[in-house]
C-alpha cells in the first residue's frame, strides 16, 4: 500500500486538494476541512498555473514527459538525429539507452556532420552491430587534436559489421606501414578515401596491391583529392572484376606516366561505367586510351584551374600569354615524357596536357575492320566490313574549360554518339551556332555551354 503525505492547507469550504497517484499517474481529489484562517496559507504569487482546461470533464491527464511516449514514437523521433546526438541521448537513462540501440537507427551511420577524432570514434563502437550496411566518417587534417585511424578500429569493423556494404573515410591520415588495404572490410561494395592522406607508402608496389582478391565485390571506388595517388595504381585497380564507378578527380599526379593508363585500359576496366577525371592534367593521349572501354557510360573531364585559358568565341584570337609554370613533382623533375603515336617526345609545353578535339573525337567513333580471307590468282577476298564502335554506351560527357575543344567535337558527337543524352562543353571554344546546330541534329540530348549562362 502506498502512503501519501499531504501538506495541510487551510482553504475555504468546500474545497478539494489534488494529488498525483504514482501508480496510475492520475489526478485524484480529496475533500479538505474548513479553513480557520481568513487568507489561504498559499498566496497567489506562489500558486502554480492550472494545466487542466476548464471545459475538460475528464480529470485523467498524463504529464508532459519524453518517457511517456511509446518506443515506436521515440524511434520515429530518433531517426532524424545524427549519431552524436544519439550518443548523448543514450546517457540520460536506461530506457533511452536501450531505445537508442535499436537496429533501425544504426543500419546507415553517418558521422560526417562534424569531424570526429579517433578517441571519440572509438566510443561509438559499442553501438556497432552486424546489421550496419553503411558507415561514413570524416576527420580533420588541420586540427591540433588530429589523430590518424588505428588498425584496431578497422579490426572492430571487420569483426562486428559483417554486412557492411559502404565505407566512407574522409580527411583522415592513414599510415601505410600499419594499415594495409587488406585491413579494410572485405565485403564492402563502395569504398571512399576522399581527401585522405596516406603516408609511409611503399615505393615498390601499389597500396592497392591484391585489392581485386581482397574486395571482389567492390563496385565503386572514390579517391577524390588524393594527392598521393600515382598512375601505376591504375594497373591494380583495373583488375577489379566488378568495378563500375571510379572517381579520381583532383588526383594531380595521374599525368606522370601514360604507359600505365594505356595498359590499364587495354587489359582491364571490363565493367567500368562511370569515370571522373576532373581537375587532372590529363591530355589527349591518356583520354584516348579509354576509347576501348566498351562499358563506359559517364565521363567527366574538366581542366584544372591553374591551366585554364577560358575565352568566348566572340572575343576572337586571344593575345599572346606568357608561358605557364609547370608543376614541380616530388622528384623535382620538370620534364615530362609523352608517348604519342610511337614517338617519344618531351613535354616542354605543358599545354600538351590539355584536352582537344582529338580526345573527344576518339570517343564514340566508328572504326572499320577488314580481314583478308584468301588470295587466288590475283584476286583478294576480304571479310565484310565490321564496324567497331568505341564507347557505344556513352550517355553523359562533360568537357569543361578546354579552349582547344571546338565545333569539330560537336560535329563528331552528333554523327557518332548515338547513345548520348547529356553534354557539357562550358568554357570551350565551341560557337553559339555550333551549339544550335547540334541541338537541331540531336534534339534528345541536353547540352550545356557558356552561352546558356546568365
Amino acid at each position: 500500500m502506498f502512503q501519501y503525505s499531504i501538506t495541510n492547507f487551510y482553504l475555504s469550504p468546500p474545497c478539494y486538494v489534488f494529488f498525483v497517484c504514482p501508480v496510475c499517474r492520475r489526478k485524484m481529489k480529496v475533500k479538505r476541512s474548513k479553513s480557520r484562517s481568513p487568507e489561504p496559507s498559499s498566496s497567489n504569487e506562489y500558486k502554480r498555473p492550472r494545466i487542466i482546461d476548464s471545459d475538460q470533464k475528464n480529470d485523467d491527464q498524463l504529464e508532459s514527459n519524453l518517457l511517456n511516449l511509446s518506443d515506436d514514437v521515440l524511434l520515429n523521433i530518433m531517426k532524424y538525429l545524427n549519431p552524436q546526438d544519439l550518443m548523448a541521448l543514450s546517457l540520460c537513462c536506461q530506457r533511452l539507452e536501450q531505445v537508442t540501440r535499436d537496429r533501425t537507427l544504426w543500419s546507415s551511420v553517418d558521422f560526417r556532420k562534424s569531424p570526429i577524432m579517433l578517441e571519440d570514434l572509438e566510443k561509438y563502437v559499442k553501438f556497432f552491430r552486424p546489421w550496419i550496411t553503411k558507415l561514413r566518417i570524416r576527420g580533420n587534417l588541420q586540427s591540433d587534436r588530429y589523430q590518424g585511424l588505428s588498425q584496431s578500429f578497422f579490426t572492430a569493423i571487420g569483426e562486428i559489421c559483417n554486412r557492411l556494404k559502404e565505407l566512407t573515410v574522409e580527411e583522415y591520415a592513414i599510415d601505410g606501414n600499419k594499415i594495409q588495404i587488406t585491413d579494410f572490410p572485405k565485403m564492402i561494395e563502395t569504398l571512399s578515401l576522399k581527401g585522405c592522406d596516406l603516408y609511409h607508402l611503399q615505393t615498390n608496389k601499389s597500396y592497392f596491391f591484391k585489392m581485386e582478391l581482397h574486395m571482389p565485390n567492390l563496385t565503386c571506388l572514390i579517391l577524390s583529392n588524393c594527392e598521393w595517388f600515382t598512375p601505376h595504381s591504375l594497373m591494380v585497380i583495373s583488375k577489379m572484376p566488378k568495378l563500375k564507378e571510379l572517381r579520381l578527380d583532383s588526383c594531380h599526379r595521374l599525368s606522370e606516366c601514360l604507359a600505365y593508363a594505356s595498359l590499364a585500359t587495354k587489359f582491364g576496366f571490363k565493367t567500368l561505367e562511370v569515370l571522373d577525371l576532373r581537375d587532372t592534367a590529363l591530355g589527349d593521349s591518356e583520354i584516348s586510351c579509354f576509347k576501348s572501354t566498351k562499358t563506359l557510360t559517364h565521363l567527366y573531364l574538366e581542366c584544372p584551374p591553374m591551366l585554364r585559358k577560358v575565352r568566348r568565341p566572340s572575343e576572337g584570337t586571344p593575345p599572346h600569354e606568357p608561358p605557364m609554370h609547370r608543376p614541380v613533382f616530388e622528384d623535382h623533375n620538370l620534364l615530362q615524357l609523352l608517348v604519342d603515336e610511337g614517338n617519344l617526345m618531351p613535354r616542354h609545353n605543358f599545354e600538351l596536357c590539355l584536352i582537344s578535339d582529338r580526345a573527344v573525337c576518339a570517343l564514340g567513333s566508328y572504326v572499320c575492320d577488314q580481314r583478308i580471307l584468301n588470295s587466288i590468282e590475283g584476286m583478294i577476298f576480304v571479310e565484310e566490313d565490321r564496324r567497331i564502335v568505341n564507347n557505344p554506351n556513352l550517355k553523359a560527357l562533360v568537357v569543361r574549360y578546354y579552349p582547344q575543344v571546338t565545333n569539330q567535337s560537336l560535329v563528331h558527337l552528333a554523327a557518332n554518339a548515338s547513345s548520348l543524352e547529356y553534354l557539357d562543353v562550358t568554357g570551350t571554344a565551341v560557337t553559339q551556332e555550333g551549339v544550335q546546330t547540334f541541338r537541331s541534329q540531336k534534339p534528345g540530348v541536353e547540352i550545356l555551354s557558356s552561352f546558356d549562362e546568365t
Side-chain angles (χ1 to χ4, degrees):
M1 178 179 294
F2 293 92
Q3 296 181 356
Y4 308 100
S5 175
I6 304 176
T7 305
N8 292 327
F9 293 95
Y10 296 94
L11 305 173
S12 300
C15 60
Y16 298 87
V17 62
F18 289 86
F19 69 94
V20 179
C21 174
V23 178
C24 61
R25 312 297 294 178
R26 296 181 179 178
K27 287 193 173 183
M28 304 179 65
K29 58 184 178 180
V30 178
K31 189 174 182 179
R32 301 307 308 272
S33 60
K34 295 181 180 180
S35 173
R36 298 181 182 179
S37 173
E39 293 288 338
S41 60
S42 56
S43 60
N44 291 333
E45 66 176 309
Y46 294 108
K47 280 188 175 181
R48 299 178 62 184
R50 193 173 185 179
I51 62 174
I52 303 178
D53 297 336
S54 59
D55 296 334
Q56 183 177 355
K57 298 181 180 180
N58 188 1
D59 293 334
D60 299 341
Q61 181 172 343
L62 297 176
E63 292 183 348
S64 299
N65 193 314
L66 181 65
L67 296 179
N68 293 137
L69 301 176
S70 66
D71 289 355
D72 291 338
V73 176
L74 289 176
L75 286 174
N76 192 46
I77 296 174
M78 292 179 181
K79 71 180 183 180
Y80 297 100
L81 303 180
N82 56 52
Q84 290 88 335
D85 295 335
L86 290 175
M87 179 69 175
L89 197 60
S90 68
L91 301 177
C92 295
C93 67
Q94 184 176 3
R95 184 191 172 200
L96 290 179
E97 197 272 340
Q98 293 177 352
V99 177
T100 54
R101 288 176 177 266
D102 190 86
R103 63 187 305 168
T104 60
L105 300 176
W106 298 93
S107 61
S108 178
V109 186
D110 194 340
F111 291 94
R112 294 179 299 175
K113 180 180 179 181
S114 59
I116 181 170
M117 301 299 104
L118 177 61
E119 60 270 18
D120 299 326
L121 184 61
E122 292 179 345
K123 298 178 182 178
Y124 294 92
V125 175
K126 67 177 183 179
F127 291 96
F128 292 171
R129 292 295 182 271
W131 49 76
I132 293 182
T133 58
K134 297 180 181 180
L135 178 59
R136 300 164 182 167
I137 58 177
R138 179 171 67 90
N140 184 4
L141 293 174
Q142 308 302 325
S143 174
D144 296 336
R145 296 177 55 240
Y146 177 76
Q147 292 180 350
L149 294 178
S150 63
Q151 189 177 22
S152 60
F153 174 74
F154 288 97
T155 303
I157 295 178
E159 293 177 352
I160 301 174
C161 309
N162 51 25
R163 300 180 186 176
L164 191 66
K165 300 298 182 183
E166 177 181 339
L167 177 60
T168 299
V169 180
E170 297 181 357
E171 300 181 32
Y172 279 98
I174 299 177
D175 190 342
N177 285 336
K178 298 180 180 179
I179 302 175
Q180 305 294 330
I181 194 63
T182 52
D183 293 323
F184 285 75
K186 62 181 179 179
M187 76 293 297
I188 59 176
E189 298 176 359
T190 299
L191 175 62
S192 175
L193 299 177
K194 181 179 179 181
C196 286
D197 181 20
L198 267 73
Y199 58 97
H200 293 160
L201 298 178
Q202 299 183 21
T203 58
N204 58 344
K205 68 176 182 179
S206 169
Y207 182 76
F208 303 99
F209 182 65
K210 293 186 178 181
M211 185 180 185
E212 72 279 6
L213 301 177
H214 181 66
M215 301 179 183
N217 297 323
L218 192 70
T219 59
C220 177
L221 179 60
I222 301 176
L223 301 173
S224 305
N225 196 24
C226 291
E227 297 288 347
W228 49 268
F229 184 83
T230 52
H232 73 278
S233 295
L234 284 176
M235 287 294 299
V236 180
I237 296 176
S238 67
K239 299 177 182 179
M240 301 299 299
K242 298 182 180 180
L243 187 65
K244 294 183 178 180
E245 182 176 352
L246 177 60
R247 297 192 178 272
L248 299 174
D249 49 301
S250 300
C251 294
H252 299 132
R253 299 184 60 183
L254 271 177
S255 61
E256 291 183 8
C257 185
L258 170 65
Y260 293 115
S262 178
L263 293 174
T265 55
K266 185 175 182 180
F267 299 103
F269 293 126
K270 300 302 181 182
T271 58
L272 187 64
E273 297 179 0
V274 180
L275 179 62
D276 191 349
L277 298 174
R278 293 172 298 167
D279 192 22
T280 58
L282 296 179
D284 289 335
S285 298
E286 291 90 346
I287 300 303
S288 298
C289 293
F290 288 94
K291 66 183 179 181
S292 58
T293 309
K294 306 299 182 183
T295 57
L296 192 64
T297 59
H298 294 72
L299 178 60
Y300 303 99
L301 307 171
E302 185 171 332
C303 185
M306 61 177 294
L307 300 177
R308 292 180 186 177
K309 294 181 180 180
V310 182
R311 66 180 178 89
R312 292 185 180 272
S314 58
E315 296 176 355
T317 304
H320 176 71
E321 299 182 4
M324 306 186 69
H325 296 286
R326 297 184 293 275
V328 180
F329 296 102
E330 292 182 355
D331 55 2
H332 303 290
N333 291 326
L334 289 176
L335 182 64
Q336 295 189 14
L337 297 178
L338 169 67
V339 179
D340 186 10
E341 298 179 354
N343 298 321
L344 190 65
M345 63 178 67
R347 283 189 177 180
H348 296 291
N349 186 358
F350 197 70
E351 289 186 358
L352 290 176
C353 293
L354 297 179
I355 294 173
S356 67
D357 291 327
R358 175 190 167 195
V360 179
C361 292
L363 304 173
S365 61
Y366 290 90
V367 179
C368 294
D369 184 22
Q370 292 181 337
R371 182 166 61 93
I372 298 178
L373 298 178
N374 199 355
S375 176
I376 302 176
E377 297 180 355
M379 299 179 61
I380 300 177
F381 297 89
V382 297
E383 188 180 27
E384 185 178 357
D385 291 352
R386 294 186 304 165
R387 300 182 67 83
I388 300 177
V389 184
N390 293 331
N391 315 114
N393 300 312
L394 189 64
K395 296 180 179 180
L397 176 62
V398 175
V399 188
R400 293 168 57 90
Y401 299 107
Y402 288 103
Q404 299 178 19
V405 174
T406 66
N407 289 341
Q408 181 181 351
S409 295
L410 296 181
V411 173
H412 166 78
L413 294 174
N416 298 294
S418 58
S419 301
L420 194 64
E421 300 175 357
Y422 179 86
L423 177 63
D424 188 351
V425 288
T426 302
T428 62
V430 300
T431 64
Q432 188 172 9
E433 293 76 14
V435 174
Q436 293 175 352
T437 302
F438 181 87
R439 285 196 175 116
S440 62
Q441 295 176 345
K442 306 283 287 189
V445 178
E446 179 184 359
I447 179 173
L448 298 181
S449 66
S450 300
F451 307 103
D452 301 320
E453 297 178 353
T454 58

